[in-house]
Amino acid sequence: MERKNNFDFLRLILASLVIFSHSYPLAGYPEIFEQMTDKQLNIGAFSVEGFFIISGYLIMISLRNSKTMISYMWKRYLRLFPALFVMLVITMLLLIVVYEGKDLFVQKDYFTYFRRNITLYRAQYHVKGIFETNPYPRAINGSLWSLSYEFTMYIIILLLFPFRKMRIGLMLLIAIWSFCVFANHYDPLLFNELSTKIYLNSDQFYRLGAFFMGGSILSYFNLKKINKPYIKLGLLTVLIGSLFFNFYKTTSYIVLPILILLVCISYSKKLNYVPHRIGDISYGVYIYGFLVQQTLMYYCCFSPLMLTLISLPITYLFAFLSWNYIEKPALQYKNFV
């Protein structure tokens, strides 16, 4: 894959849109796009779907380029866990400052917070005495919910390792994508009892799985052949039109992955000026944003717009430090296995 692309730029936009979307419930307001689209589109959910599309595309390329299953998982570990580890350490220190109670250190849920969240699958969102008077009470970092789904997709893709360079690999991806789309559309609770055993909700799994697998499928095709302005405009028109006619959910499974990835494989020097200057900070923005916003709301009362404007630069700073001093140095070891 060529190095000149819009992947970093679009991921930064999507991470920033998550902060914008979260500003509404965290300030005590309904999400604005849900109101505008009759609950068809939540801009935060849309952004997470975009992340999963991009991730599916890049992860499948990584799998095909990996010599062993261990090397593939090692790269996934380095991309996910070092930054998460440091963020959770910072969170544990912050909780001491914002705690409202007699003695935080006698509370069991304080000491389980780090352990459960670093495992991904038993995410803990609350500690007694933390953010309980916020407009969106108690939640410390609601963004962590998606990490277990992301990691699960890594494992599913790993199972395709023997077929990664064969046509059957593509066929299996199409089969998984078809199943996820069908289940999410007709029976979101299918196998829910099984998925809850690993702390996943079946409806979220099918929804995010459809977008992740959609991105993975498209990694097999030369998208440059259809990367034309009129095609991107046409796809965007279809998406917007589907909102007006109330069939966005069905359309998005096909149209959104193609549109997102066509934008990603394009290149604009102007759009990428900031990402090239500060690095790939999108993951840091995503895992720090909610925490920063809840902390701001603990000390002050902001409108959604003000919360967005104030929290973005603070979150960017944490994400910049995370990328340059945690994530990027960790990725230097990706070829050690």
Side-chain angles (χ1 to χ4, degrees), residues 5 54 69 76 232 322 329:
N5 53 59
I54 295 172
M69 299 171 74
R76 305 285 68 76
K232 285 181 278 191
S322 177

Side-chain angles (χ1 to χ4, degrees), residues 264-322:
C264 284
I265 66 171
S266 305
Y267 179 70
S268 169
K269 187 175 182 180
K270 292 182 179 179
L271 293 181
N272 282 277
Y273 178 80
V274 172
H276 285 174
R277 286 285 183 178
I278 63 179
D280 182 12
I281 68 170
S282 57
Y283 180 51
V285 171
Y286 183 76
I287 62 175
Y288 280 99
F290 196 104
L291 178 65
V292 168
Q293 291 182 296
Q294 277 289 65
T295 304
L296 289 171
M297 291 303 298
Y298 172 76
Y299 287 106
C300 301
C301 183
F302 295 108
S303 67
L305 180 58
M306 285 303 300
L307 181 59
T308 300
L309 294 176
I310 295 173
S311 61
L312 273 176
I314 298 173
T315 305
Y316 279 10
L317 175 60
F318 278 102
F320 173 81
L321 295 174
S322 177

Side-chain angles (χ1 to χ4, degrees), residues 194-330:
L194 178 62
S195 65
T196 53
K197 291 181 179 180
I198 55 172
Y199 307 97
L200 300 177
N201 293 324
S202 59
D203 56 342
Q204 294 283 22
F205 175 82
Y206 297 137
R207 178 176 70 91
L208 297 176
F211 289 107
F212 189 95
M213 298 306 161
S216 298
I217 290 167
L218 292 173
S219 71
Y220 280 85
F221 297 92
N222 184 4
L223 296 178
K224 286 185 177 181
K225 293 183 178 180
I226 61 169
N227 191 19
K228 310 295 182 182
Y230 67 88
I231 291 180
K232 285 181 278 191
L233 180 60
L235 292 171
L236 180 61
T237 302
V238 170
L239 275 181
I240 295 174
S242 67
L243 288 171
F244 283 99
F245 294 101
N246 204 28
F247 59 91
Y248 172 82
K249 182 178 179 180
T250 302
T251 305
S252 63
Y253 291 128
I254 299 174
V255 176
L256 189 59
I258 301 173
L259 178 59
I260 288 285
L261 290 173
L262 288 182
V263 174
C264 284
I265 66 171
S266 305
Y267 179 70
S268 169
K269 187 175 182 180
K270 292 182 179 179
L271 293 181
N272 282 277
Y273 178 80
V274 172
H276 285 174
R277 286 285 183 178
I278 63 179
D280 182 12
I281 68 170
S282 57
Y283 180 51
V285 171
Y286 183 76
I287 62 175
Y288 280 99
F290 196 104
L291 178 65
V292 168
Q293 291 182 296
Q294 277 289 65
T295 304
L296 289 171
M297 291 303 298
Y298 172 76
Y299 287 106
C300 301
C301 183
F302 295 108
S303 67
L305 180 58
M306 285 303 300
L307 181 59
T308 300
L309 294 176
I310 295 173
S311 61
L312 273 176
I314 298 173
T315 305
Y316 279 10
L317 175 60
F318 278 102
F320 173 81
L321 295 174
S322 177
W323 169 254
N324 285 281
Y325 296 101
I326 307 298
E327 299 168 59
K328 188 177 180 180

Side-chain angles (χ1 to χ4, degrees), residues 20-21 24-25 29-36 41-44:
F20 168 76
S21 179
Y24 284 86
Y29 293 83
E31 212 270 2
I32 186 170
F33 277 87
E34 280 192 336
Q35 289 185 305
M36 293 171 59
L41 179 65
N42 176 298
I43 202 66

Side-chain angles (χ1 to χ4, degrees), residues 147-166:
L147 299 184
S148 59
Y149 294 89
E150 176 86 5
F151 195 76
T152 302
M153 301 303 160
Y154 296 166
I155 296 173
I156 293 173
I157 292 295
L158 176 64
L159 299 177
L160 302 179
F161 185 84
F163 317 107
R164 66 193 188 282
K165 295 183 180 181
M166 302 164 59

